[in-house]
Amino acid sequence: MIRPRFARSVAAVVALVTLSSFAVACSGSSDEVVKTADGKTVLRYEGSTGQVIYPELAADLGYFNDVELNWIGDTTSGPQSIQNAATGQTEFGGAFNGAVVKLASAGSPITSVIGYYGSDKESFNGYYVLDDSPIKSAKDLIGKKVGMNTLGAHHEFVVREWLAREGLTPDEIKQVELIVVPPVNTEQALRQGQIDVATLGSVFRDSALERGGLRELFTDESLFGSFTYGTLVFRDDYIAQNKEAVADFVQGTARAIRWTQTHPREEVVAKLTSIINSRGRNEDTKLISYWKSPGVAGPGGTITDTEISTWIDWLTRNGELEEGKLKPSDIYTNEFNPYANGTYSPDSGADGQALEAAK
């Protein structure tokens, strides 16, 4: 279903503030930490259908020592994923950094611990129009519809950033209508004239371009280059009470990210396909065949100030965040990432001989 921007935007903001308030109330939760028979801490999480997230890869590679993952279902929404982590329905979640900053600014006590998705020359999201579309510039988008998978996350921020860079005023940007369209229906919605611009990435971009008739307006990679856009978060109280478990989770996930950064694409695709085929969730492996690169800028998912400050500044400029209320160090930590503190060398070989030596 295609839904108008403003109703969804208001609902998203209300939900974000309501859930973050609830998260504050739950931040001192006494929920018992579940342990396995051999003493490992169980981490509940949400996955993604037909894909392998980095913690799942880390578990398969044997990189965790003190934690065990417990999949409770799948999600297609980053904001919902971090809200679930903030309210204690899961132990960790992941989302676009702008959404993380927004949730934190609303009072939710969460901290980003590792980057997990982004863009590079091989992996990116593009914004496309039909070949014969009269849309040539940002000005041409005034009064037009842009389709994307969700609001208040990556695509909304990137589109609005591009419009601002192209010279549109805040009032003009408000006239560009952002529409929610499931990724599987986005190409069709564009070709049928339901939207004027389609947000396409991964298999949806590649298959649409193969069919032809589309023209690229811009990409997220063209705006920021190689850049990590999203991070995994934990609740602050959980980190404080389970520091060893969080540290083990981060080091294992960091090593899994680095494994994909240093191994040939064919080997990564084979491993991810094997994981999906063996976990019994009745999934298709089609998405995995389109995997091209990790899309994570920092070695092992290390986070930089810029990857957070960009969105703090953006929200401040747009009047959605009080100036000086937050700084990057309020949002993230690299404390547990071995590629940030020198325990492991980012350039120690294919899967890091130094990693195994240090284990």
Side-chain angles (χ1 to χ4, degrees):
M1 180 184 296
I2 297 178
R3 302 177 181 177
R5 172 192 179 197
F6 296 108
R8 286 291 299 252
S9 294
V10 171
V13 170
V14 171
L16 192 64
V17 172
T18 301
L19 280 168
S20 62
S21 298
F22 180 59
V24 172
C26 293
S27 63
S29 174
S30 60
D31 291 347
E32 183 179 353
V33 176
V34 177
K35 299 278 189 177
T36 63
D38 57 356
K40 294 181 179 179
T41 300
V42 177
L43 302 179
R44 297 167 300 163
Y45 77 100
E46 294 171 306
S48 184
T49 304
Q51 299 180 62
V52 178
I53 64 174
Y54 286 114
E56 292 173 329
L57 175 60
D60 187 82
L61 291 171
Y63 287 166
F64 293 140
N65 300 310
D66 303 321
V67 300
E68 183 172 297
L69 302 182
N70 177 21
W71 173 72
I72 64 169
D74 290 324
T75 184
T76 58
S77 168
Q80 186 63 53
S81 175
I82 59 174
Q83 288 164 5
N84 289 343
T87 55
Q89 297 174 65
T90 58
E91 270 61 73
F92 67 88
F96 167 62
N97 287 330
V100 173
V101 171
K102 203 163 187 176
L103 188 58
S105 72
S108 182
I110 55 173
T111 296
S112 295
V113 295
I114 191 169
Y116 78 102
Y117 91 88
S119 63
D120 55 31
K121 291 292 185 183
E122 297 294 331
S123 300
F124 59 88
N125 290 280
Y127 301 82
Y128 298 88
V129 298
L130 296 176
D131 268 343
D132 59 358
S133 170
I135 296 173
K136 307 289 185 182
S137 68
K139 283 281 187 182
D140 297 329
L141 278 179
I142 296 174
K144 299 298 192 295
K145 297 180 175 65
V146 181
M148 57 190 62
N149 71 319
T150 190
L151 298 179
H154 180 120
H155 297 306
E156 177 172 354
F157 277 65
V158 167
V159 168
R160 291 169 67 181
E161 174 70 10
W162 181 72
L163 294 172
R165 290 192 187 189
E166 292 296 303
L168 267 64
T169 67
D171 285 341
E172 288 174 328
I173 291 174
K174 289 177 182 177
Q175 296 175 57
V176 178
E177 192 173 2
L178 306 183
I179 302 293
V180 174
V181 188
V184 69
N185 302 126
T186 305
E187 178 192 353
Q188 180 182 14
L190 177 66
R191 294 188 188 278
Q192 292 181 347
Q194 294 174 292
I195 57 177
D196 302 288
V197 181
T199 301
L200 299 170
S202 185
V203 58
F204 304 109
R205 180 191 66 243
D206 291 350
S207 57
L209 293 180
E210 286 172 4
R211 283 184 279 273
L214 304 185
R215 173 165 48 84
E216 179 187 294
L217 272 185
F218 70 100
T219 70
D220 51 13
E221 195 275 337
S222 70
L223 284 179
F224 296 101
S226 182
F227 197 81
T228 296
Y229 284 101
T231 50
L232 298 179
V233 308
F234 279 84
R235 299 186 311 278
D236 291 347
D237 66 307
Y238 190 88
I239 294 174
Q241 296 166 18
N242 303 276
K243 199 165 186 177
E244 290 185 1
V246 174
D248 186 55
F249 170 84
V250 175
Q251 70 80 27
T253 303
R255 293 172 62 191
I257 291 171
R258 191 60 186 164
W259 187 87
T260 66
Q261 291 174 327
T262 58
H263 277 64
R265 174 189 176 277
E266 295 74 16
E267 188 175 346
V268 175
V269 169
K271 169 59 75 173
L272 301 181
T273 301
S274 173
I275 292 173
I276 288 179
N277 287 335
S278 65
R279 67 189 182 188
R281 298 184 194 170
N282 193 30
E283 300 166 283
D284 193 330
T285 59
K286 183 179 180 180
L287 282 175
I288 296 299
S289 67
Y290 284 84
W291 189 94
K292 294 183 177 179
S293 66
V296 178
T302 51
I303 307 168
T304 68
D305 273 9
T306 302
E307 290 162 354
I308 304 297
S309 66
T310 294
W311 310 113
I312 291 177
D313 295 344
W314 193 95
L315 288 165
T316 301
R317 287 198 308 271
N318 283 273
E320 299 178 53
L321 180 64
E322 180 184 344
E323 187 169 0
K325 181 177 181 179
L326 292 174
K327 56 185 183 298
S329 59
D330 296 327
I331 304 297
Y332 83 96
T333 180
N334 281 322
E335 176 185 358
F336 308 112
N337 194 316
Y339 291 95
N341 66 22
T343 301
Y344 302 152
S345 167
D347 302 310
S348 58
D351 65 351
Q353 291 87 347
L355 306 190
E356 293 305 320
K359 185 175 178 180

